[in-house]
Amino acid sequence: MRSMKSEERGVKNGVLCTLCLLLVSVFASCEHRQLVDITDTHYVRIYLDEHIRNVHYGFYDETKEKPAYKTPEGVRVVLGDPETGKVVSERYLHDSGSDERGNYVYGTLVAKAGNYHLLAYNYDTEATHISHKDSYTDMEVYTNPISDELKSRLQSVRTGTTTRIGEVRYEPDHVFVATVENLRIGDTPQVDTLLTPEGNWPVAESVTKTYYMQVNVKGVEYVRSAVALITGMSGSVRLHDRSMVPEMESSIYFNLQNGLTKGRTNQEDVHVAYASFNTFGKLPEAEGYIEITFEFNITDGTVQTETIRVTDMFETDEVREKQWIIIDKTIEIVPPEGSTSTGGMSPGVGQWEQVEGDFTI
């Protein structure tokens, strides 16, 4: 006859064995259980149209410094409810590749069968931000106003020398956007692929434009640094239809560089201040008062400002199609008191200093 203690040990051992078997069964079942139904998983690939004017082609002057550019490394893809506009599914894609059609970002997105609006945009930008991220119809891209410290250094802002400055903002990055409306996702027994109704991959194009601007300058040897503001620009764009937001009228702030270029009416070299700057575009409501205000920081610590109205230039093919703002005027820098002109830019002048300012994040 077994003792009571022996029976107790037997019961305990039996319970332990049962628990172990249950745990093994649970772990085994967890190992094979799919957290997401394979029929709700969809492969998506977003191509990037990087054929950007004044960045990759169409330069006014190949000898000038080109604008900085980097291929996006991450894309957010969302599916919106066509009835409410609310984002019902999203995924941040970071895997990338390239082929004969260009660079692309790819990954998977989870969604039940149904009808959706797809929207994709690159999220790895420095100066550009997205608002209303949970709404397909309200999502906007924008840039912040320049810092108070930087604004305090702009004489044109302090004195209001331009007609309609509005909010002064940093230049936007290039933001690539793709949309596919009324995307039908059906029930499939495997991972399917999200394509446009025409059977193509979605392609994201930039909602940002790059303009080239230059103006003749006499007396550049007296300039330490220079910046400019252009009024009448859009400060924000809605992503789903690329429409500008009228309430976000802004001026775009950018740095100027110095250089030599061939004259347009003769072969003589002329000194110019030039820049490649980014903007979401000219607001249609901004007729009649698009101006560029130039601020030259002189070597004696003073500031010389010049404002030139360029509204009519935006009606020309050169600006509308080529995005070149070539101003056929000469700004004369007033020599500092007691200075002696060298008769033009000397070899030692080099590049102007860049005016730096903090980004508000």
Side-chain angles (χ1 to χ4, degrees):
M1 178 181 289
R2 292 188 300 171
S3 66
M4 184 65 71
K5 290 185 177 180
S6 297
E7 289 183 6
E8 289 178 355
R9 283 198 297 270
V11 171
K12 289 180 179 179
N13 290 336
V15 171
L16 288 174
C17 289
T18 301
L19 290 173
C20 289
L21 289 173
L22 287 172
L23 288 173
V24 169
S25 176
V26 169
F27 289 146
S29 64
C30 288
E31 185 176 334
H32 294 90
R33 180 181 298 166
Q34 295 172 348
L35 298 178
V36 177
D37 192 335
I38 195 69
T39 61
D40 297 335
T41 304
H42 316 281
Y43 177 80
V44 59
R45 177 186 294 185
I46 307 295
Y47 276 89
L48 304 171
D49 183 353
E50 298 178 282
H51 195 56
I52 305 173
R53 182 174 290 278
N54 293 320
V55 175
H56 296 105
Y57 77 102
F59 297 110
Y60 175 75
D61 187 341
E62 290 285 350
T63 66
K64 298 294 184 295
E65 185 174 333
K66 306 299 187 297
Y69 174 82
K70 185 179 73 169
T71 294
E73 297 178 351
V75 169
R76 180 185 182 227
V77 180
V78 305
L79 295 178
D81 185 328
E83 298 297 327
T84 66
K86 184 178 176 58
V87 171
V88 295
S89 180
E90 67 171 355
R91 193 65 178 266
Y92 288 84
L93 311 180
H94 54 80
D95 291 322
S96 59
S98 63
D99 57 23
E100 67 278 359
R101 286 167 289 188
N103 295 315
Y104 59 84
V105 180
Y106 67 94
T108 57
L109 186 68
V110 176
K112 297 289 185 181
N115 195 42
Y116 301 96
H117 293 334
L118 179 147
L119 187 151
Y121 65 88
N122 60 302
Y123 59 82
D124 57 339
T125 54
E126 294 182 7
T128 310
H129 312 284
I130 306 294
S131 63
H132 310 297
K133 292 184 178 181
D134 60 347
S135 173
Y136 170 86
T137 52
D138 296 335
M139 211 177 305
E140 295 178 11
V141 58
Y142 68 96
T143 57
N144 283 322
I146 62 174
S147 66
D148 291 339
E149 188 275 333
L150 181 56
K151 189 183 298 183
S152 67
R153 285 187 269 161
L154 296 177
Q155 182 170 295
S156 56
V157 175
R158 295 196 309 269
T159 60
T161 54
T162 59
T163 304
R164 195 165 173 171
I165 291 179
E167 192 76 73
V168 182
R169 297 181 180 274
Y170 293 108
E171 299 176 62
D173 305 293
H174 276 279
V175 178
F176 295 85
V177 180
T179 53
V180 181
E181 298 210 328
N182 299 313
L183 176 68
R184 178 64 189 173
I185 296 179
D187 285 314
T188 58
Q190 59 188 5
V191 177
D192 63 345
T193 300
L194 301 186
L195 299 171
T196 67
E198 297 75 25
N200 301 319
W201 299 106
V203 177
E205 298 178 337
S206 180
V207 298
T208 308
K209 294 182 178 180
T210 298
Y211 285 84
Y212 176 83
M213 188 282 312
Q214 77 172 35
V215 64
N216 302 334
V217 179
K218 182 179 180 181
V220 294
E221 64 270 24
Y222 304 123
V223 179
R224 185 176 67 239
S225 63
V227 299
L229 305 174
I230 181 168
T231 63
M233 298 293 110
S234 172
S236 180
V237 169
R238 293 187 183 91
L239 294 188
H240 82 281
D241 61 1
R242 283 77 161 173
S243 63
M244 300 179 189
V245 181
E247 298 80 10
M248 293 285 280
E249 181 181 325
S250 305
S251 295
I252 301 299
Y253 163 89
F254 53 95
N255 285 294
L256 296 172
Q257 301 183 69
N258 62 11
L260 289 171
T261 193
K262 294 292 184 183
R264 304 190 85 182
T265 57
N266 54 58
Q267 293 301 307
E268 294 181 4
D269 288 342
V270 295
H271 304 293
V272 297
Y274 74 95
S276 294
F277 67 92
N278 292 340
T279 173
F280 294 130
K282 175 187 76 69
L283 278 172
E285 298 81 2
E287 300 298 337
Y289 54 86
I290 303 176
E291 298 174 337
I292 301 179
T293 295
F294 301 90
E295 292 208 3
F296 297 94
N297 296 297
I298 310 305
T299 53
D300 65 352
T302 60
V303 177
Q304 180 176 332
T305 65
E306 300 284 341
T307 298
I308 298 176
R309 183 160 294 192
V310 294
T311 304
D312 293 342
M313 296 185 68
F314 275 81
E315 300 305 316
T316 66
D317 291 340
E318 189 167 61
V319 175
R320 285 188 300 187
E321 297 179 8
K322 298 180 179 179
Q323 294 162 209
W324 297 343
I325 306 173
I326 312 301
I327 301 173
D328 280 328
K329 294 183 179 179
T330 299
I331 297 175
E332 295 195 19
I333 304 300
V334 179
E337 189 173 337
S339 65
T340 302
S341 174
T342 60
M345 188 193 308
S346 63
V349 171
Q351 289 294 322
W352 288 327
E353 299 172 5
Q354 296 294 296
V355 179
E356 302 295 338
D358 296 330
F359 287 113
T360 303
I361 299 177

